[in-house]
């Protein structure tokens, strides 16, 4: 039996620069089906640029990106868009609406026929009260993250991409996020996360890449084999070893 796992997003030889500054050089990444793949890296290393390249929100200098074996061109095809739910670090909420009306709006935008009771059920699952009249502009960071995560259930795509989802979260909300992503994986979602939160990463990741000095290195593969330990911080290495021992 082959151990090969099919990639749902494949990135080959990706190069990206802004003016004369190179940001990404010869990136090769395989984001595999039904796994949680994490891209680590300090701020300014190009993690958001990589996501923007996958989503065709920025032009690349060279290289190829495939989503579900379909090549990404200048803009994503309708099929590619349907396959991806992207949760940015600043989700597109309508600030003057409450949580229920925000989800109604998202379901309308994505042409999802979901009734009020189903939306209420989704909100309850994410620890949000659908009767709460509080406007989103008055939400805490943790509540905003939970609302953003509820978009995943509405959009119901095969691929979920999250950019630095733990920034600003308290410990309880970060743990909630971790458990939610693991449940989404169990439902068959393929998840790609950018983060520099070592404790969070070690608790969710099937594969870990490190983006550093414009290049990308695989640190942990899907067989839980740790590679390139010399590039890992002691904190990350110890966290991963703890998770693997559990």
């Amino acid at each position: 039996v082959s151990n090969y796992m099919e990639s749902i997003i494949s990135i080959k030889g990706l190069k990206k620069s802004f003016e004369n500054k190179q940001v990404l050089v010869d990136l090769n990444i395989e984001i595999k089906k039904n796994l949680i793949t994490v891209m680590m890296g300090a701020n300014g290393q190009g993690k958001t640029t990589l996501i923007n390249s996958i989503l065709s929100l920025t032009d690349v200098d060279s290289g190829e990106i495939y989503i579900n074996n379909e090549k990404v061109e200048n803009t994503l095809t309708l099929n590619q868009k349907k396959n991806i739910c992207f949760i940015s670090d600043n989700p597109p909420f309508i600030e003057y609406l409450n949580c229920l009306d925000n989800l109604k709006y998202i379901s309308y935008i994505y042409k999802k026929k979901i009734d009020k009771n189903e939306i209420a059920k989704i909100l309850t699952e994410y620890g949000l009260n659908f009767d709460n009249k509080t406007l989103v502009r008055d939400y805490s960071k943790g509540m905003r993250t939970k609302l953003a995560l509820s978009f995943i259930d509405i959009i119901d795509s095969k691929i979920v991409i999250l950019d630095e989802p733990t920034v600003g979260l308290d410990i309880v909300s970060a743990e909630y996020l971790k458990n939610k992503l693991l449940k989404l994986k169990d439902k068959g979602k393929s998840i790609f996360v950018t983060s520099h939160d070592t404790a969070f990463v070690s608790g969710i990741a099937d594969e870990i890449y490190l983006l550093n000095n414009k290049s990308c290195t695989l640190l942990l593969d899907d067989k839980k084999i740790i590679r390139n330990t010399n590039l890992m911080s002691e904190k990350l290495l110890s966290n991963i070893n703890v998770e693997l021992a559990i």
Side-chain angles (χ1 to χ4, degrees), residues 44-85:
Q45 290 294 330
K47 300 188 301 294
T48 300
T49 299
L50 172 60
I51 287 178
N52 287 339
S53 300
I54 293 171
L55 299 175
S56 205
L57 297 175
T58 186
D59 294 330
V60 300
D61 301 338
S62 60
E64 295 178 335
I65 300 171
Y66 295 86
I67 298 173
N68 252 354
N69 296 319
E70 184 183 356
K71 189 176 178 182
V72 173
E73 302 293 352
N74 293 331
T75 57
L76 296 185
T77 64
L78 186 59
N79 188 49
Q80 288 169 335
K81 287 178 182 176
K82 283 181 179 177
N83 274 325
I84 294 178
C85 172

Side-chain angles (χ1 to χ4, degrees), residues 38-43 47 164 166-167 194-199 201:
V38 178
M39 177 63 70
M40 297 197 72
N43 289 334
K47 300 188 301 294
E164 295 284 2
T166 61
V167 171
T194 67
S195 181
H196 57 266
D197 183 336
T198 54
V201 167

Side-chain angles (χ1 to χ4, degrees), residues 13-30:
L14 187 69
K15 291 183 181 180
K16 172 65 181 175
S17 57
F18 291 102
E19 295 178 347
N20 291 323
K21 183 186 177 186
Q22 284 192 311
V23 179
L24 305 174
V25 178
D26 282 330
L27 254 61
N28 294 285
I29 304 165
E30 301 295 330

Side-chain angles (χ1 to χ4, degrees), residues 73-114:
E73 302 293 352
N74 293 331
T75 57
L76 296 185
T77 64
L78 186 59
N79 188 49
Q80 288 169 335
K81 287 178 182 176
K82 283 181 179 177
N83 274 325
I84 294 178
C85 172
F86 171 49
I87 305 296
S88 73
D89 60 349
N90 187 24
F93 300 131
I94 299 179
E95 300 286 336
Y96 57 84
L97 295 180
N98 63 15
C99 59
L100 180 63
D101 289 336
N102 263 276
L103 284 205
K104 282 182 182 176
Y105 176 72
I106 287 295
S107 60
Y108 170 76
I109 290 295
Y110 280 86
K111 297 181 170 62
K112 302 285 185 178
K113 293 182 179 177
I114 304 174

Side-chain angles (χ1 to χ4, degrees), residues 3-237:
N3 286 325
Y4 172 75
M5 297 192 71
E6 189 177 350
S7 296
I8 198 156
I9 297 178
S10 186
I11 299 166
K12 302 178 187 299
L14 187 69
K15 291 183 181 180
K16 172 65 181 175
S17 57
F18 291 102
E19 295 178 347
N20 291 323
K21 183 186 177 186
Q22 284 192 311
V23 179
L24 305 174
V25 178
D26 282 330
L27 254 61
N28 294 285
I29 304 165
E30 301 295 330
I31 299 170
K32 294 169 184 170
K33 284 186 177 178
N34 197 209
L35 293 184
I36 298 177
T37 304
V38 178
M39 177 63 70
M40 297 197 72
N43 289 334
Q45 290 294 330
K47 300 188 301 294
T48 300
T49 299
L50 172 60
I51 287 178
N52 287 339
S53 300
I54 293 171
L55 299 175
S56 205
L57 297 175
T58 186
D59 294 330
V60 300
D61 301 338
S62 60
E64 295 178 335
I65 300 171
Y66 295 86
I67 298 173
N68 252 354
N69 296 319
E70 184 183 356
K71 189 176 178 182
V72 173
E73 302 293 352
N74 293 331
T75 57
L76 296 185
T77 64
L78 186 59
N79 188 49
Q80 288 169 335
K81 287 178 182 176
K82 283 181 179 177
N83 274 325
I84 294 178
C85 172
F86 171 49
I87 305 296
S88 73
D89 60 349
N90 187 24
F93 300 131
I94 299 179
E95 300 286 336
Y96 57 84
L97 295 180
N98 63 15
C99 59
L100 180 63
D101 289 336
N102 263 276
L103 284 205
K104 282 182 182 176
Y105 176 72
I106 287 295
S107 60
Y108 170 76
I109 290 295
Y110 280 86
K111 297 181 170 62
K112 302 285 185 178
K113 293 182 179 177
I114 304 174
D115 63 28
K116 182 180 176 180
N117 290 336
E118 183 63 23
I119 291 176
K121 183 180 173 186
I122 290 169
L123 285 169
T124 301
E125 190 179 319
Y126 281 89
L128 295 169
N129 183 354
F130 64 93
D131 279 333
N132 191 339
K133 302 301 181 189
T134 304
L135 304 184
V136 170
R137 69 184 179 204
D138 298 320
Y139 275 19
S140 67
K141 178 67 177 175
M143 287 178 71
R144 292 174 78 88
T145 296
K146 289 177 179 180
L147 181 57
L149 286 171
S150 70
F151 287 6
I152 296 169
D153 288 55
I154 297 286
I155 298 167
D156 195 27
S157 59
K158 293 177 183 176
I159 305 165
V160 178
I161 298 177
L162 301 101
D163 191 12
E164 295 284 2
T166 61
V167 171
L169 289 188
D170 57 38
I171 294 172
V172 174
S173 296
E175 184 68 15
Y176 181 93
L177 172 62
K178 182 186 91 168
N179 292 331
K180 205 72 206 176
L181 291 182
L182 292 171
K183 284 180 183 176
L184 287 168
K185 182 184 119 173
D186 288 343
K187 289 181 179 178
K189 306 292 185 191
S190 305
I191 301 168
F192 181 56
V193 182
T194 67
S195 181
H196 57 266
D197 183 336
T198 54
F200 174 72
V201 167
S202 60
I204 63 165
D206 294 300
E207 292 203 327
I208 301 174
Y209 285 90
L210 176 67
L211 192 56
N212 187 44
N213 291 330
K214 308 179 190 70
S215 62
C216 187
T217 310
L218 182 65
L219 298 184
L220 179 75
D221 69 18
D222 63 290
K223 299 175 190 65
K224 299 298 183 186
I225 296 172
I226 297 173
R227 301 164 179 261
N228 299 295
T229 53
N230 58 311
L231 292 175
M232 286 191 180
S233 66
E234 286 184 21
K235 187 176 179 184
L236 176 59
L237 190 55

